[in-house]
Amino acid sequence: MKIVAIAGGVGAAKFLRGLTRVVDARDVTVIGNVGDNIWVFGVYVAPDLDIVTYALAGVWDDERGWGIKGERFSVRDSLRAFGVKEAEWFALGDQDFATCLFRTLLLKKGEKLSSITDKIRKKFGVRSRIIPVTEQELTTMVRLDNGWVSFEEYYVRLRSEPLIHKIEYKGWESSEPAEGVISAIREADRVFICPSNPLASIAPILVVPGVREELKAIRHKVVAVSPLVKGKAIKGPADRMMAQLGLEPSPKGLASFYKDIAGTLVVDELDRESVVSSGINEPRIVFSDTLMVNENAAERLARQALYL
Ligand code: GDP
């Protein structure tokens, strides 16, 4: 069985850890979000690609939600001592720093992001393929009261506190799917849209020309998993962002967001009432315990979503 996972960071990482306990990890191709990638300290940080890589390698700091377990932050601390402003709000562990530095060195030599991502996952012993959705820089930007900032700055520096008026995926028009993205979707027996932030993690993948069309064509094989339980995100600003940007944070809102590309939406048991009262016609709704409190819970969810 060939499986594709459309993935952001935390929600995707937890789901993929469960999924790779159910199927052979080599049968899974992850199509990763690059919208939160950011240049900091002169290195190119790809938070979502790295979270997924570290999670599948078993080294992810799942309590913090990013980076590698047990990291020291000596480089960042030294930069802070030098008065580097970014070090006040952006943290990178020492090994994580090396991953980003390695990526940057190869990018500067002209190597493609997809090939570098492949080298990184192999170095960490990850058997699933991880492909950034595009080679091009495609940056999720949000408009706040006093102008545009990158999503990563809004998320990390501003702690997702300000009100968002608008969201855009800068660079999407000229982006192209990285090699392997379209063929993986075409060859898939099952595509998962991971329980990631729909606007900040999934949409920047769907806007890459060609991706949405391919998913539409195999919609009956596509299963989206809700990142919300009772209208609330488990972590992060997905619920607030949805409300602020006019998308109801509920099964109904998710159904309308995914119905053209997903045949099935998995929502939490606790949302049964909301589903019944809102009369969702499409996609088909399946109930499950979607809270991945540990790897066993993630495995259960993945197994159910796989054998629907
Ligand atoms: P980010 O880029 O690291 O924010 O990554 P994601 O977009 O993948 O992850 C954030 C989303 O994951 C949030 O909307 C959370 O609600 C969702 N999430 C985190 N843990 C869980 C969980 O245990 N179950 C479900 N269903 N969603 C989760």
Side-chain angles (χ1 to χ4, degrees), residues 177-227:
E179 200 186 320
V181 167
I182 298 296
S183 55
I185 297 175
R186 283 189 187 157
E187 288 161 17
D189 298 300
R190 169 75 82 218
V191 176
F192 288 114
I193 297 179
C194 294
S196 290
N197 184 329
L199 298 171
S201 295
I202 303 298
I205 297 175
L206 302 178
V207 294
V208 174
V211 172
R212 181 178 279 280
E213 290 67 25
E214 291 298 329
L215 292 173
K216 269 186 185 168
I218 54 145
R219 182 181 170 275
H220 59 288
K221 296 182 186 172
V222 181
V223 175
V225 182
S226 168

Side-chain angles (χ1 to χ4, degrees), residues 8-12 14 36 48 195-197 201 226-227 233-235 238 290 292:
V10 173
K14 287 193 194 173
D36 341 356
D48 283 0
S196 290
N197 184 329
S201 295
S226 168
I234 315 304
K235 188 185 163 282
T290 64
M292 296 176 281

